[in-house]
Amino acid sequence: MQSNLMQLKVLLPFKVFAKKDDVKRIVAKTSQGFMGLLPHRLDCVVALTPGILTWASESEGEVVVAVDEGLLVKVGSEVLISVRNAIGGTDLGKLHEAVASEFMKDSEQENTMRFAFTKLESGFISRFMELQHG
């Protein structure tokens, strides 16, 4: 007989953010929209986008957490969620603000850095080509 509960771990790069053994359901944000998980759902791997992660446990009830981008892996009754950052709290409005201000800002900074590195790289290559032909 399969259990009607899941074991959830939310992992950050340097620590375990949450570990729960009595989770009834999980809702996470993906690039395709929100995805719900129940204990008997098929195993899966899903890329998460910055947003709100929700789970319901028997001991705590409904838990809401703001998470950065990451990965969700479900195998049997175990669910591992690995994200770059997470913020807990009870005020949903403040968590939405945290996603918008903290996690989206990081993505914009990464894009700016990638653009700068691309410009540096192309400049280096063009100067190298000038030296080769000059």
Side-chain angles (χ1 to χ4, degrees), residues 74-87:
K74 180 183 184 302
V75 179
S77 64
E78 293 184 24
V79 179
L80 295 174
I81 297 176
S82 178
V83 292
R84 293 177 4 168
N85 197 2
I87 301 171

Side-chain angles (χ1 to χ4, degrees), residues 2-15:
Q2 285 186 320
S3 171
N4 286 327
L5 298 175
M6 296 178 283
Q7 296 79 45
L8 171 66
K9 279 187 189 176
V10 179
L11 307 172
L12 299 179
F14 300 106
K15 71 176 185 173

Side-chain angles (χ1 to χ4, degrees), residues 4-8 19-26 54-64:
N4 286 327
L5 298 175
M6 296 178 283
Q7 296 79 45
L8 171 66
K19 182 180 178 186
K20 306 296 174 194
D21 293 325
D22 60 348
V23 176
K24 296 186 269 186
R25 67 181 177 276
I26 300 169
T54 306
W55 69 81
S57 70
E58 290 188 338
S59 61
E60 294 179 294
E62 195 83 12
V63 178
V64 181

Side-chain angles (χ1 to χ4, degrees), residues 39-105:
H40 301 294
R41 187 185 199 299
L42 294 176
D43 296 349
C44 63
V45 176
V46 179
L48 301 178
T49 58
I52 301 297
L53 171 70
T54 306
W55 69 81
S57 70
E58 290 188 338
S59 61
E60 294 179 294
E62 195 83 12
V63 178
V64 181
V65 176
V67 295
D68 201 349
E69 62 187 11
L71 198 62
L72 179 149
V73 179
K74 180 183 184 302
V75 179
S77 64
E78 293 184 24
V79 179
L80 295 174
I81 297 176
S82 178
V83 292
R84 293 177 4 168
N85 197 2
I87 301 171
T90 55
D91 185 353
L92 194 55
K94 288 183 181 177
L95 290 177
H96 277 290
E97 287 176 21
V99 169
S101 65
E102 295 296 321
F103 304 151
M104 296 303 204
K105 178 179 67 176

